[in-house]
Amino acid sequence: MKLIGPFTQILSLAALPLKGAIADDALQIIPNGGVLTAGGLISAVGDFEELRKINGKAEIDEISGQQVLLPGFVDCHTHLCFAGDRSKDYAMRLAGKSYLEIAHSGGGIWDSVTQIRLTSKEILAGLLLQRVSRHASEGVTTIEIKSGYGLKVEEELKQLYAIKLAAAGSAIDLIPTCLAAHILPKDFSGLAADYLEHVLNDLLPAIKKENLAARADIFIEQGAFNPTNATDYLRAAKQMGFDVTVHADQFTRAGSEVAVSVGAVSADHLEASGQKEIKRLAASETVAVALPGASLGLGIGFAPARKLLNAGACLAIASDWNPGSAPMGDLLMQASVLSVYEKLTTAEVFAGLTYRAAKALNLHDRGSLEKGKLADFQAYLCNDYRQILYYQGKLKPARVWKKGSQLNH
Ligand code: NIG
Ligand code: FE
């Protein structure tokens, strides 16, 4: 048993709603707080001195100075398993080139596919671990990671094995997702529906057998997959036992409607969602995931986060960290920027980075500081939780704990 504290404030994020708007005065703020942990879980959260009195035998991890404690962040959407970079694409975008012009000059998602195919599983795992450890040092204690740059059976499997290898070498929980349905691979001879059929028949069973992922994703967009084919694919994947999620409404509307109709755990992007899509998402159990890093990387507007919350949706915020549209990967900075443009309360931002993001991954054991949850948390050198968003991502956690153990970085 270990008692950690005293913290100037503990922001527990306990007892907040799963869906809809949240005012800051709904936040539970524990002054002079302590957290008692045992076996990687939280046994109690409360007044530090009181916890010390009741638990005389607990080892004490004494915190000096002013620090604010928050749950670890959950990044519920990344493409962290990649090789190389796409700075050439980015420079072309800055010079005003269109998506199509970039793709025609050898850029775009296919460029990352080429790079992945040239890279071994071990090298990929090494690259992945460097990014995971940077994310962990910035307070992210659970990271979803998609495949989707292999785009053929053995290459998609290689990506998922690389994620598994990295997970074995990291304290951070890495949650793999199969995104073989990212785009129709250039070297597949057949229609989009044939490719999806091939993934269902030849890839997903192998993933299941090897226990490489329990989630499947698809990119619904012009130039990627259409809603009809995607619906069939997602229904079949669900039948096989996969949780499903969708890259939805990024440039054009359609994906979020499919996500809701198939009961996806989340619909991510939503930059192009309108009133109809917002209403449907809000009435559903599908988490709406905003990806401000992709808006910043592409120079497009943000997902309508305020409207989604006002309509009653569950809003999570994720980094989308990938080499093409979101190379920065700084989740807290991106969430801070989204909040000032979209007018999100501090409570809504932290909910979106923690327990609401955990819901998008169907994880119910983390995201708030309360008895029985994972002892995943992070401490910031400040005396008021509001300073964290105020510094727009430049104030980083001084200490991060995963399952009760402090990470060294
Ligand atoms: O989430 N939208 C599709 N896929 C990724 C981009 C991946 C890439 O460009 O490599 C995204 O933004
Ligand atoms: Fe993405």
Side-chain angles (χ1 to χ4, degrees), residues 117 173 175 265 274 351:
R117 292 183 180 182
D173 289 318
I175 312 294
V265 284

Side-chain angles (χ1 to χ4, degrees), residues 73-91:
F73 294 144
V74 174
D75 192 350
C76 66
H77 182 139
T78 84
H79 306 250
L80 268 197
C81 185
F82 61 87
D85 69 89
R86 302 227 305 269
S87 52
K88 196 172 85 187
D89 290 15
Y90 193 82

Side-chain angles (χ1 to χ4, degrees), residues 200 208 232-244:
L200 285 167
K208 233 184 140 56
D232 293 344
Y233 176 74
L234 292 168
R235 291 225 161 100
K238 241 189 131 171
Q239 281 238 305
M240 294 173 72
F242 288 88
D243 274 346
V244 298

Side-chain angles (χ1 to χ4, degrees), residues 121-172:
K121 174 179 76 191
E122 290 73 21
I123 299 216
L124 277 178
L127 291 167
L128 192 46
L129 274 173
Q130 288 174 17
R131 298 176 192 126
V132 165
S133 96
R134 194 191 99 188
H135 232 21
S137 74
E138 297 182 354
V140 185
T141 48
T142 300
I143 311 175
E144 185 265 7
I145 305 177
K146 300 173 196 302
S147 65
Y149 293 132
L151 303 192
K152 62 170 143 183
V153 170
E154 62 276 23
E155 296 293 330
E156 285 288 311
L157 289 174
K158 181 174 84 183
Q159 274 201 284
L160 292 169
Y161 276 119
I163 298 168
K164 191 172 181 169
L165 203 58
S170 173
I172 301 305

Side-chain angles (χ1 to χ4, degrees), residues 102-274:
I102 293 171
H104 285 149
S105 79
I109 291 169
W110 194 252
D111 186 18
S112 293
V113 173
T114 309
Q115 306 260 14
I116 279 279
R117 292 183 180 182
L118 293 169
T119 311
S120 72
K121 174 179 76 191
E122 290 73 21
I123 299 216
L124 277 178
L127 291 167
L128 192 46
L129 274 173
Q130 288 174 17
R131 298 176 192 126
V132 165
S133 96
R134 194 191 99 188
H135 232 21
S137 74
E138 297 182 354
V140 185
T141 48
T142 300
I143 311 175
E144 185 265 7
I145 305 177
K146 300 173 196 302
S147 65
Y149 293 132
L151 303 192
K152 62 170 143 183
V153 170
E154 62 276 23
E155 296 293 330
E156 285 288 311
L157 289 174
K158 181 174 84 183
Q159 274 201 284
L160 292 169
Y161 276 119
I163 298 168
K164 191 172 181 169
L165 203 58
S170 173
I172 301 305
D173 289 318
L174 307 184
I175 312 294
T177 302
C178 174
L179 178 58
H182 202 175
I183 52 168
L184 178 63
K186 282 187 184 174
D187 55 354
F188 182 82
S189 52
L191 302 173
D194 304 322
Y195 175 70
L196 294 176
E197 188 76 21
H198 164 59
V199 172
L200 285 167
N201 292 332
D202 304 320
L203 177 60
L204 294 191
I207 290 175
K208 233 184 140 56
K209 188 159 157 264
E210 297 292 315
N211 204 11
L212 289 171
R215 299 164 37 85
D217 193 349
I218 189 165
F219 184 18
I220 300 178
E221 193 51 72
Q222 288 166 15
F225 295 96
N226 72 36
T228 313
N229 291 342
T231 303
D232 293 344
Y233 176 74
L234 292 168
R235 291 225 161 100
K238 241 189 131 171
Q239 281 238 305
M240 294 173 72
F242 288 88
D243 274 346
V244 298
T245 172
V246 179
H247 276 73
D249 303 359
Q250 186 179 12
F251 304 110
T252 55
R253 296 168 190 173
S256 63
E257 171 132 22
V258 173
V260 171
S261 72
V262 303
V265 284
S266 73
D268 306 28
H269 272 298
L270 309 175
E271 293 87 340
S273 299

